Amino acid sequence: MSDAPIGIFDSGVGGLSVWRQVVHHLPAESVVYLADQAHVPYGQRCASEIQHYCSAIAEQLLQLGCKAIVVACNTASAIALEPLRCAFPSVPILGLEPAVKPAVELTRSGVVGVMATPATFQGELYRATVGRWAGDVRVVEQVCIGLADLVEQGELEGERCDAVLRGFLQPMLQAGADTVVLGCTHYPFVIEAIRRLGGPSLAVLDPAPAVARHLGEVLGREGVLRAAAPDQRGDRHRFFTTGDAHRFDRAVARLVGASCRSEQLAWHNGQLRRA
Ligand code: DGL
């Protein structure tokens, strides 16, 4: 079982920001990454739709023999994490939530900003996280419609990207935020631009390294962590997309520097099939 792969999924390329941390922290592991690009972005879809996609994807990852699943999407985690854990109790399922706790610990101005999709802000998970950790720190929510699309399109820099980011940063900075949480896995791919536009006094938090460390702890506890050995690198990573496989291969190379030949999946009557 410890030789089985870890499954990671997202609506698109965003979860690759988690993939690269998992591969970095757990180099002996093999990973199956699934991008549901046929339906990206998830952020403005309704909860029942997102739940349906997530459960079909989890089923597919289990059929591929995954020993654990990481929902590398804040939106999908906000909506579907608990239903997935109930539906698939045989494997650990980890999700992403905006890193409000570390932001609250870090802020000196007493104001933190959270950048995320509309669906993430509407989810129970986000409300619970803020309720639990914010205390007397003010949390400024910034809905970032269109930002995940820019990352999907590979537009990570340039005037249009800067203008979009400025529009999102300005209200948080004006409110006095000195710490900004990236509450969507697509956003770490524009973290350099956010840092440049936000200035040197703005701390920008990407939760992916903490998620990768937590995954290692969970696998260890479950007794399914693959022992690290220099000759045993998990180099058989597999990639699947419900979108255009060639386009996705180019995005993987550009975003995380990995060369891959992704495999095609297609939706048929609400279920995923190998194309
Ligand atoms: N990567 C997803 C997240 O973390 C969102 C992008 C989307 O809207 O599909 O929320």
Side-chain angles (χ1 to χ4, degrees):
M1 184 66 172
S2 60
D3 285 346
I6 296 160
I8 298 182
F9 77 90
D10 178 41
S11 58
V13 298
L16 291 169
S17 64
V18 177
W19 179 91
R20 70 179 166 192
Q21 295 296 338
V22 169
V23 167
H24 175 71
H25 285 282
L26 305 171
E29 300 288 348
S30 298
V31 181
V32 174
Y33 184 90
L34 197 156
D36 186 16
Q37 291 181 301
H39 298 127
V40 70
Y42 276 6
Q44 285 149 269
R45 292 182 184 273
C46 71
S48 60
E49 205 181 348
I50 294 171
Q51 250 172 44
H52 174 79
Y53 299 148
C54 292
S55 103
I57 290 168
E59 212 166 291
Q60 182 69 42
L61 291 172
L62 292 180
Q63 274 170 28
L64 289 162
C66 292
K67 62 183 176 186
I69 293 176
V70 181
V71 184
C73 174
N74 291 75
T75 305
S77 299
I79 306 292
L81 188 58
E82 283 315 315
L84 285 178
R85 284 178 173 157
C86 291
F88 306 100
S90 61
V91 294
I93 303 182
L94 280 70
L96 266 96
E97 61 182 41
V100 172
K101 181 177 180 246
V104 164
E105 286 165 359
L106 197 66
T107 180
R108 277 166 290 123
S109 68
V111 184
V112 307
V114 179
M115 300 169 72
T117 67
T120 295
F121 286 128
Q122 281 152 22
E124 274 293 309
L125 187 63
Y126 174 73
R127 289 277 143 240
T129 307
V130 171
R132 188 157 174 218
W133 303 114
D136 54 7
V137 166
R138 182 175 166 211
V139 180
V140 180
E141 295 166 10
Q142 181 60 53
V143 174
C144 297
I145 291 172
L147 187 50
D149 301 275
L150 278 188
V151 175
E152 282 294 316
Q153 288 149 20
E155 215 173 314
L156 311 179
E157 52 189 20
E159 264 170 46
R160 195 161 76 122
C161 184
D162 277 7
V164 169
L165 288 175
R166 256 192 220 103
F168 294 143
L169 283 170
Q170 208 172 30
M172 296 187 288
L173 294 173
Q174 261 167 12
D178 63 351
T179 308
V180 163
V181 171
L182 303 184
C184 167
T185 53
H186 280 74
Y187 306 165
F189 291 116
V190 287
I191 197 168
E192 292 313 325
I194 293 173
R195 286 197 170 122
R196 175 171 46 78
L197 296 166
S201 58
L202 185 73
V204 186
L205 303 187
D206 169 12
V211 171
R213 282 194 298 274
H214 181 52
L215 175 63
E217 286 159 18
V218 170
L219 296 180
R221 211 163 47 225
E222 299 279 325
V224 293
L225 186 68
R226 199 175 185 197
D231 60 341
Q232 214 191 3
R233 289 181 69 84
D235 52 4
R236 291 177 306 282
H237 303 306
R238 291 175 77 182
F239 295 86
F240 292 86
T241 180
T242 60
D244 181 303
H246 294 301
R247 224 174 143 226
F248 183 66
D249 293 349
R250 288 196 295 276
V252 173
R254 183 174 60 239
L255 295 172
V256 294
S259 75
C260 77
R261 285 182 69 141
S262 54
E263 299 165 66
Q264 187 79 54
L265 288 172
W267 289 96
H268 285 289
N269 300 326
Q271 294 305 314
L272 276 176
R273 300 240 185 93
R274 308 282 281 278

